[in-house]
Amino acid sequence: TSDTHETNLTYQRRLGFVNSWQEVSGSYHNFLEVIPKETYAADHPDWFVTATSTSSGLEFDTLCLSAGGDEMAEIVAAYARDRIVLGDASAVVKNIFVFGQPDGRGWCTCSASESLKNKYGANSAEYILFMNKVAKIFDEKYSAEVGRKITFMIMAYNLALEAPSANLDDVKLYNTDNAEVAAMVAMIEGNSYRKLEDDVASNKYGNSNRYFLNQYNAWQNLGKAYFWRYSAYFDNYFVPLDTISNMQDTYKTLAENGTTVLVDQGMSGTDVETNFNELKIYLKSKLAKNVNADVETLIRNFCNAYYGAGGEKMYEFLTVYRAWYATLDGKTTSGNKDSLGCHIISGMDIFNEKYWD
């Protein structure tokens, strides 16, 4: 709205523009918002731990879900109920609630957490067991009041990205007519410059895009799984990147793997957005509706509509730009470390003068 500068969600819905922020209640990294340290630490000091990021070495606060147990699950379920009912009263109806870990590549390493990791083969098992408790409590206490099925979403992200690999019957995602648990698999460490099925180890953790696709399939074996794709590299927003050429292949692969919910995050609305952001948003929208659409026709149509008289020249530029990136990939690859990979692009290899003719 022009007077308050607040987003008018009702109007956006009328336009058919529905994004994840409108569909999802809670925050993607809200552990400490739902269970604030200042409120609960005095009575439950074991609920709060300091984790060390395995990528940056920085410390950050998080929760020990094992220590929280049933009592913490009760609090989270009640918090979700309050947010959902409050939204309903404002005609902002959301059917998904996220309880998400802080945005750091770490996890609790207490003996209870490590025991669960060893038993199930992944940190995420502790998260699943906890969220199954939350969903069950919500189902039994609040589902009649809410009156529709609510999805509780796990962020399969950073150190909780890997799906359990053992004792899988124990960690099936909770699902009844009233409440369910789903996983949002977010491949922030993947490489959007490469195809989703690509087998090249192209990040500093030695994982290929195929690894992330395999993890996605592993989560699907446990229950409902969504997919979070990135079309920006978050270590350096300013670096131009061709995530256009492989976008269609990625969308086709996700469709073939039964994806029903997709978040595709770039950077928009800021002065550091990725290049050709509007074009990328346009292509995402079109491919989400039809993965078999002719991408080159879409790009040409966009250029003519968006750039007007300069449309054909911009299309020519995009064609050259994408062809140049295809050669750059080979020039900047050293061994298994692809300098265009997420986190590695911050090494600035792309700005080496020898790559620019």
Side-chain angles (χ1 to χ4, degrees):
T1 58
S2 58
D3 53 342
T4 65
H5 302 290
E6 295 177 355
T7 302
N8 186 328
L9 299 180
T10 302
Y11 184 56
Q12 287 197 7
R13 284 180 180 273
R14 284 174 54 198
L15 294 177
F17 180 68
V18 180
N19 61 42
S20 62
W21 298 106
Q22 295 166 248
E23 292 294 292
V24 175
S25 182
S27 163
Y28 293 108
H29 305 293
N30 64 350
F31 270 15
L32 299 177
E33 296 171 25
V34 181
I35 311 291
K37 198 171 184 178
E38 57 271 22
T39 303
Y40 295 101
D43 293 331
H44 303 285
D46 57 333
W47 287 11
F48 301 89
V49 296
T50 300
T52 302
S53 170
T54 60
S55 56
S56 68
L58 299 176
E59 294 184 338
F60 62 95
D61 290 333
T62 188
L63 298 176
C64 175
L65 302 180
S66 293
D70 293 344
E71 185 176 355
M72 187 189 289
E74 291 268 1
I75 294 169
V76 174
Y79 182 98
R81 175 266 172 205
D82 291 346
R83 293 303 178 275
I84 292 166
V85 169
L86 185 64
D88 288 358
S90 303
V92 181
V93 179
K94 299 185 179 186
N95 297 321
I96 299 173
F97 179 84
V98 181
F99 185 59
Q101 71 269 45
D103 193 6
R105 200 174 191 276
W107 199 256
C108 178
T109 57
C110 75
S111 59
S113 296
E114 286 294 299
S115 177
L116 288 174
K117 179 182 178 181
N118 292 335
K119 179 178 180 180
Y120 295 101
N123 290 311
S124 59
E126 180 177 9
Y127 197 0
I128 293 170
L129 293 170
F130 180 82
M131 290 299 281
N132 281 350
K133 284 183 182 180
V134 172
K136 187 173 187 295
I137 292 168
F138 187 93
D139 192 351
E140 294 173 349
K141 286 192 171 184
Y142 307 118
S143 61
E145 177 185 6
V146 171
R148 65 183 185 280
K149 188 169 184 173
I150 298 298
T151 299
F152 290 87
M153 195 160 78
I154 288 173
M155 284 300 295
Y157 176 78
N158 281 340
L159 284 196
L161 181 138
E162 286 194 358
S165 57
N167 301 296
L168 299 185
D169 288 342
D170 298 348
V171 285
K172 294 289 186 181
L173 304 183
Y174 185 91
N175 187 13
T176 70
D177 291 339
N178 302 315
E180 67 179 350
V181 175
M184 176 63 81
V185 181
M187 56 173 285
I188 189 170
E189 296 164 2
N191 186 341
S192 293
Y193 179 68
R194 293 182 178 274
K195 294 180 179 181
L196 190 53
E197 295 179 303
D198 191 279
D199 283 326
V200 174
S202 58
N203 68 29
K204 72 177 184 179
Y205 305 107
N207 297 320
S208 66
N209 282 358
R210 164 60 71 175
Y211 162 83
F212 294 102
L213 181 58
N214 290 343
Q215 287 301 319
Y216 180 56
N217 294 149
W219 278 101
Q220 288 179 310
N221 290 333
L222 299 177
K224 183 180 290 185
Y226 307 145
F227 196 87
W228 190 310
R229 176 185 181 268
Y230 296 86
S231 59
Y233 284 158
F234 285 88
D235 278 345
N236 198 326
Y237 297 124
F238 295 100
V239 174
L241 192 66
D242 175 20
T243 58
I244 295 169
S245 294
N246 288 320
M247 189 184 294
Q248 181 168 44
D249 179 84
T250 297
Y251 274 62
K252 281 185 175 180
T253 300
L254 291 173
E256 291 165 0
N257 282 267
T259 304
T260 58
V261 174
L262 168 66
V263 175
D264 196 328
Q265 180 183 354
M267 281 294 293
S268 62
T270 77
D271 58 1
V272 292
E273 66 188 35
T274 53
N275 59 313
F276 297 111
N277 193 52
E278 295 82 3
L279 170 61
K280 291 176 181 179
I281 291 172
Y282 173 76
L283 292 175
K284 293 172 187 180
S285 176
K286 293 296 186 181
L287 289 171
K289 294 177 181 178
N290 177 14
V291 296
N292 297 308
D294 187 315
V295 172
E296 292 306 313
T297 298
L298 291 176
I299 293 174
R300 190 181 290 274
N301 289 345
F302 175 88
C303 287
N304 288 333
Y306 193 78
Y307 297 109
E312 283 301 313
K313 286 296 182 184
M314 287 303 296
Y315 179 76
E316 289 178 24
F317 171 69
L318 271 164
T319 302
V320 173
Y321 155 88
R322 292 160 67 199
W324 176 78
Y325 253 100
T327 65
L328 180 70
D329 184 45
K331 293 174 182 176
T332 60
T333 300
S334 176
N336 284 330
K337 290 193 172 182
D338 177 1
S339 63
L340 294 177
C342 188
H343 299 294
I344 297 172
I345 200 167
S346 58
M348 301 300 179
D349 288 353
I350 196 174
F351 292 124
N352 192 315
E353 185 178 4
K354 69 183 180 181
Y355 301 135
W356 296 80
D357 55 29

